[in-house]
Amino acid sequence: MANKVGEAGGIGVSTDTDIGKVGEIDMSSFCASCGIAEVDDIKLTTCDANCKLVRYCSIACQREHRLQHKEECKKRVAELRDELLFAQPKSSHYGDCPICFLPLAINGRSNVLMSCCSKAICDGCSYANKIRGRRESLEQICPFCRHPVPATDAEIDANRMKRVEANDPIALRRVGIRCYDEGDYGSACEYLTKAAGLGDAVAHYYLAVMYWEGKGVEKDEQMAVYHVEEAAIAGDPEARIILGAIEWNEGSKERAMKHYIIAAKLGDDDAVGKLKKGYLEGVLSKEDFASALRAHQAAVDATKSPHRDAAEKARGNIK
């Protein structure tokens, strides 16, 4: 039987409902277990599972109410996680070029990462900066922070370690990846965990790989999925493709399509192929498929500019 709010105004009200108002009574102002009201020195805290459904006056009350609240809490936490997971990111995890403010290409290969400031510059702006420097016989400098471009690997490493000392997530991630490639998985985990804690999507992706493979950490599929979800939430389309494949293989094809649609809208080409398969198998409607294709093309077109075309042409000539 649901607990009742105590002697608050002499009214007994059931608490087995979401935080909100029942009649004129704000249920968030009462402990879900004992019914005591939040007044004066009595402060209520939300359920530690962050379900946002109930509040308690003490740890003891939360423990007493746990069995009654457990299933509802678990269901709501899953719903909130899905709301976060399936929200369309405003951009990919690369974001925009800080010079031209156009979206950076999601393949990463068309972007230049500056070791001095950890800014990713599009190849168009980087190319234009180099051409200007050569034309005017200027020292080659970073187009963002104006720091001289390092001439040696040692200078690049020195710049990067300065950024690591400043707790720069991109620098931490880059050092972590280097440690991973060198087989130093313990150090890789340390750097990548710090970077992930600061919101770096690629660091989350690498941590997912480490948990799946058991490198530097014990194998833990649950943690692997958590980190790949965090990467996807941050806008990494490759992480979306992985989540889509997991859902597809588990028979949750509609959820898989949701992941692929989000990736396609970020400009991911592989996602389009996955959506085509879903459409041919009747999992995805014609309207949703067409909408995703239009959004995909719009995302791809948004990354184009004359300077980027010139840089791509220059790369082709060099090859």
Side-chain angles (χ1 to χ4, degrees), residues 156-202:
I156 292 175
D157 287 341
N159 286 343
R160 185 160 294 145
M161 293 314 296
K162 286 182 180 178
R163 299 305 305 163
V164 166
E165 291 172 6
N167 236 22
D168 185 306
I170 296 177
L172 287 164
R173 178 239 297 170
R174 294 290 294 182
V175 174
I177 292 175
R178 183 177 65 189
C179 292
Y180 179 89
D181 292 339
E182 294 173 350
D184 183 1
Y185 301 123
S187 296
C189 184
E190 181 181 348
Y191 282 112
L192 292 170
T193 299
K194 288 182 180 178
L198 293 169
D200 188 81
V202 179

Coordinates of all heavy atoms in Angstrom, one line a residue, residues 156-202:
I156 N 56.2 19.3 -31.2 CA 54.8 18.9 -31.2 C 54.5 18.3 -29.8 O 53.5 18.6 -29.2 CB 54.5 18.0 -32.3 CG1 54.5 18.7 -33.7 CG2 53.1 17.4 -32.1 CD1 54.3 17.8 -34.9
D157 N 55.4 17.4 -29.4 CA 55.2 16.7 -28.1 C 55.3 17.7 -27.0 O 54.5 17.6 -26.0 CB 56.3 15.6 -27.9 CG 56.0 14.4 -28.8 OD1 54.9 14.2 -29.3 OD2 57.0 13.6 -29.1
A158 N 56.2 18.6 -27.1 CA 56.3 19.6 -26.0 C 55.0 20.5 -25.9 O 54.5 20.7 -24.8 CB 57.5 20.5 -26.2
N159 N 54.5 20.9 -27.0 CA 53.3 21.6 -27.1 C 52.1 20.8 -26.5 O 51.3 21.3 -25.7 CB 52.9 22.0 -28.5 CG 53.8 23.1 -29.1 OD1 54.4 23.8 -28.3 ND2 53.8 23.3 -30.4
R160 N 52.1 19.6 -26.9 CA 51.0 18.7 -26.4 C 51.0 18.5 -24.9 O 50.0 18.5 -24.2 CB 51.0 17.4 -27.1 CG 49.8 16.5 -26.9 CD 49.7 15.4 -27.9 NE 49.3 16.0 -29.2 CZ 49.7 15.6 -30.4 NH1 50.6 14.6 -30.5 NH2 49.3 16.2 -31.5
M161 N 52.2 18.3 -24.4 CA 52.3 18.1 -22.9 C 52.0 19.3 -22.1 O 51.4 19.3 -21.0 CB 53.7 17.6 -22.6 CG 54.1 16.2 -23.1 SD 52.7 15.0 -22.9 CE 52.7 14.9 -21.1
K162 N 52.2 20.5 -22.7 CA 51.7 21.8 -22.1 C 50.2 21.8 -22.0 O 49.7 22.2 -21.0 CB 52.2 23.0 -22.8 CG 53.7 23.3 -22.7 CD 54.1 24.5 -23.5 CE 55.6 24.8 -23.3 NZ 56.0 26.0 -24.1
R163 N 49.6 21.3 -23.0 CA 48.1 21.3 -23.0 C 47.6 20.2 -22.1 O 46.6 20.4 -21.4 CB 47.6 21.0 -24.4 CG 47.9 22.0 -25.5 CD 47.5 23.4 -25.1 NE 46.1 23.4 -24.8 CZ 45.5 24.4 -24.1 NH1 46.3 25.4 -23.7 NH2 44.2 24.4 -23.9
V164 N 48.4 19.1 -21.9 CA 48.0 18.1 -20.9 C 48.0 18.7 -19.5 O 47.1 18.4 -18.7 CB 48.9 16.9 -21.0 CG1 48.8 15.9 -19.8 CG2 48.6 16.1 -22.3
E165 N 49.1 19.4 -19.2 CA 49.2 20.1 -17.9 C 48.1 21.0 -17.6 O 47.7 21.2 -16.5 CB 50.6 20.8 -17.8 CG 51.8 19.9 -17.8 CD 53.1 20.6 -17.9 OE1 53.0 21.9 -17.9 OE2 54.1 20.0 -18.0
A166 N 47.5 21.6 -18.7 CA 46.4 22.5 -18.6 C 45.0 21.7 -18.6 O 44.0 22.3 -18.6 CB 46.4 23.5 -19.7
N167 N 45.1 20.4 -18.5 CA 43.9 19.6 -18.5 C 43.1 19.7 -19.7 O 41.8 19.6 -19.7 CB 43.1 19.9 -17.2 CG 42.8 18.6 -16.4 OD1 43.6 17.7 -16.4 ND2 41.8 18.7 -15.6
D168 N 43.7 19.8 -20.8 CA 43.0 19.9 -22.1 C 42.6 18.5 -22.5 O 43.4 17.6 -22.7 CB 44.0 20.5 -23.2 CG 43.3 20.7 -24.5 OD1 42.7 19.8 -25.1 OD2 43.4 21.8 -25.0
P169 N 41.2 18.3 -22.7 CA 40.8 16.9 -23.0 C 41.3 16.4 -24.3 O 41.5 15.2 -24.4 CB 39.2 17.1 -23.1 CG 39.0 18.6 -23.3 CD 40.1 19.3 -22.6
I170 N 41.5 17.2 -25.3 CA 42.0 16.7 -26.6 C 43.4 16.3 -26.5 O 43.8 15.2 -27.0 CB 41.8 17.8 -27.7 CG1 40.3 18.1 -28.0 CG2 42.4 17.3 -29.0 CD1 40.0 19.1 -29.0
A171 N 44.2 17.0 -25.8 CA 45.6 16.7 -25.6 C 45.7 15.4 -24.8 O 46.5 14.5 -25.1 CB 46.4 17.8 -24.9
L172 N 44.9 15.3 -23.7 CA 44.9 14.1 -22.9 C 44.5 12.9 -23.7 O 45.1 11.8 -23.6 CB 43.9 14.3 -21.8 CG 44.3 15.2 -20.6 CD1 43.0 15.6 -19.8 CD2 45.3 14.6 -19.8
R173 N 43.5 13.1 -24.6 CA 43.1 12.0 -25.5 C 44.2 11.6 -26.4 O 44.5 10.4 -26.7 CB 41.9 12.4 -26.2 CG 41.4 11.3 -27.2 CD 41.4 11.8 -28.7 NE 40.4 12.9 -28.8 CZ 40.3 13.7 -29.9 NH1 41.2 13.5 -30.9 NH2 39.5 14.7 -29.9
R174 N 44.9 12.5 -27.0 CA 46.0 12.2 -28.0 C 47.1 11.5 -27.3 O 47.6 10.5 -27.9 CB 46.5 13.5 -28.6 CG 45.5 14.3 -29.5 CD 45.2 13.6 -30.8 NE 46.4 13.5 -31.6 CZ 46.4 13.0 -32.9 NH1 45.3 12.5 -33.3 NH2 47.4 13.0 -33.6
V175 N 47.5 11.9 -26.1 CA 48.5 11.2 -25.4 C 48.0 9.8 -25.0 O 48.8 8.8 -25.1 CB 49.0 11.9 -24.1 CG1 49.9 11.1 -23.3 CG2 49.6 13.3 -24.5
G176 N 46.8 9.7 -24.7 CA 46.2 8.4 -24.3 C 46.2 7.4 -25.5 O 46.5 6.2 -25.4
I177 N 45.9 7.9 -26.7 CA 45.9 7.1 -27.9 C 47.3 6.7 -28.2 O 47.5 5.5 -28.7 CB 45.2 7.9 -29.1 CG1 43.7 8.1 -28.8 CG2 45.5 7.1 -30.4 CD1 43.1 8.9 -29.9
R178 N 48.2 7.6 -28.1 CA 49.6 7.2 -28.3 C 50.1 6.1 -27.4 O 50.7 5.1 -27.8 CB 50.6 8.4 -28.1 CG 52.0 8.1 -28.5 CD 52.9 9.4 -28.4 NE 52.9 9.8 -27.0 CZ 53.5 11.0 -26.6 NH1 54.0 11.8 -27.5 NH2 53.5 11.4 -25.4
C179 N 49.7 6.2 -26.1 CA 50.0 5.1 -25.2 C 49.3 3.8 -25.6 O 49.9 2.7 -25.5 CB 49.6 5.5 -23.7 SG 50.5 6.9 -23.0
Y180 N 48.1 3.9 -26.0 CA 47.4 2.7 -26.5 C 48.1 2.0 -27.6 O 48.3 0.8 -27.7 CB 46.0 3.1 -26.9 CG 45.1 1.9 -27.4 CD1 44.4 1.2 -26.5 CD2 45.1 1.6 -28.7 CE1 43.6 0.1 -26.9 CE2 44.3 0.6 -29.2 CZ 43.6 -0.2 -28.3 OH 42.8 -1.2 -28.8
D181 N 48.5 2.8 -28.6 CA 49.2 2.3 -29.8 C 50.6 1.7 -29.4 O 51.0 0.7 -30.1 CB 49.4 3.4 -30.8 CG 48.1 3.9 -31.5 OD1 47.1 3.1 -31.4 OD2 48.1 5.0 -32.0
E182 N 51.2 2.2 -28.4 CA 52.5 1.7 -27.9 C 52.3 0.5 -27.0 O 53.3 -0.1 -26.6 CB 53.3 2.8 -27.2 CG 53.7 3.9 -28.1 CD 54.3 5.1 -27.4 OE1 54.2 5.1 -26.1 OE2 54.9 6.0 -28.0
G183 N 51.1 0.1 -26.7 CA 50.8 -1.0 -25.8 C 50.9 -0.7 -24.3 O 50.8 -1.7 -23.5
D184 N 51.0 0.5 -24.0 CA 51.0 0.9 -22.6 C 49.5 1.2 -22.1 O 49.1 2.4 -22.0 CB 51.8 2.2 -22.4 CG 51.9 2.6 -20.9 OD1 51.3 1.9 -20.0 OD2 52.6 3.6 -20.6
Y185 N 48.7 0.1 -21.9 CA 47.3 0.3 -21.7 C 46.9 0.9 -20.4 O 45.9 1.5 -20.3 CB 46.7 -1.1 -21.9 CG 46.9 -1.7 -23.2 CD1 47.5 -3.0 -23.4 CD2 46.5 -1.0 -24.4 CE1 47.7 -3.5 -24.6 CE2 46.8 -1.6 -25.7 CZ 47.4 -2.9 -25.8 OH 47.6 -3.4 -27.0
G186 N 47.8 0.7 -19.4 CA 47.5 1.3 -18.1 C 47.5 2.8 -18.2 O 46.6 3.5 -17.7
S187 N 48.6 3.4 -18.8 CA 48.7 4.8 -19.0 C 47.6 5.3 -19.9 O 47.0 6.4 -19.7 CB 50.0 5.2 -19.5 OG 51.1 4.9 -18.6
A188 N 47.3 4.5 -21.0 CA 46.3 4.9 -21.9 C 44.9 5.1 -21.2 O 44.2 6.1 -21.4 CB 46.1 3.9 -23.0
C189 N 44.6 4.1 -20.4 CA 43.4 4.2 -19.6 C 43.3 5.4 -18.7 O 42.3 6.1 -18.6 CB 43.2 2.9 -18.8 SG 41.6 2.8 -17.9
E190 N 44.4 5.7 -18.1 CA 44.5 6.9 -17.2 C 44.2 8.2 -18.0 O 43.4 9.0 -17.6 CB 45.8 7.0 -16.5 CG 46.0 8.1 -15.6 CD 47.4 8.2 -14.9 OE1 48.1 7.2 -15.0 OE2 47.7 9.2 -14.3
Y191 N 44.9 8.4 -19.1 CA 44.7 9.6 -19.9 C 43.3 9.7 -20.5 O 42.7 10.7 -20.5 CB 45.8 9.7 -21.0 CG 47.1 10.1 -20.5 CD1 48.2 9.3 -20.5 CD2 47.3 11.5 -20.0 CE1 49.5 9.7 -20.0 CE2 48.6 11.9 -19.6 CZ 49.7 11.0 -19.6 OH 50.9 11.4 -19.2
L192 N 42.9 8.6 -21.1 CA 41.6 8.5 -21.7 C 40.4 8.7 -20.8 O 39.4 9.4 -21.1 CB 41.4 7.2 -22.5 CG 42.3 7.1 -23.7 CD1 42.3 5.6 -24.3 CD2 42.0 8.1 -24.8
T193 N 40.6 8.2 -19.6 CA 39.5 8.4 -18.6 C 39.4 9.8 -18.2 O 38.3 10.4 -18.0 CB 39.8 7.5 -17.3 OG1 39.8 6.1 -17.7 CG2 38.8 7.7 -16.2
K194 N 40.6 10.5 -18.0 CA 40.5 12.0 -17.7 C 39.9 12.7 -18.9 O 39.0 13.6 -18.6 CB 42.0 12.5 -17.5 CG 42.6 12.0 -16.2 CD 44.0 12.6 -16.0 CE 44.6 12.2 -14.7 NZ 46.0 12.7 -14.6
A195 N 40.2 12.4 -20.1 CA 39.7 13.1 -21.3 C 38.2 12.9 -21.4 O 37.4 13.8 -21.6 CB 40.4 12.7 -22.5
A196 N 37.8 11.6 -21.1 CA 36.3 11.3 -21.2 C 35.6 12.0 -20.1 O 34.5 12.5 -20.3 CB 36.2 9.8 -21.0
G197 N 36.2 12.1 -18.9 CA 35.5 12.9 -17.8 C 35.3 14.3 -18.2 O 34.4 15.0 -17.6
L198 N 36.1 14.8 -19.1 CA 36.0 16.2 -19.5 C 35.1 16.3 -20.8 O 35.0 17.4 -21.4 CB 37.4 16.8 -19.8 CG 38.3 17.0 -18.5 CD1 39.7 17.3 -18.9 CD2 37.7 18.1 -17.6
G199 N 34.5 15.2 -21.2 CA 33.5 15.2 -22.3 C 34.0 14.9 -23.7 O 33.3 15.1 -24.6
D200 N 35.2 14.3 -23.8 CA 35.8 14.0 -25.1 C 35.2 12.7 -25.6 O 35.3 11.7 -25.0 CB 37.3 13.9 -25.0 CG 37.9 13.8 -26.4 OD1 38.1 14.8 -27.1 OD2 38.2 12.6 -26.8
A201 N 34.5 12.8 -26.8 CA 33.8 11.7 -27.4 C 34.8 10.6 -27.8 O 34.5 9.4 -27.6 CB 33.0 12.2 -28.6
V202 N 35.9 11.0 -28.4 CA 36.8 10.0 -28.9 C 37.4 9.2 -27.8 O 37.7 8.0 -27.9 CB 37.9 10.6 -29.8 CG1 38.9 9.6 -30.3 CG2 37.3 11.4 -31.0

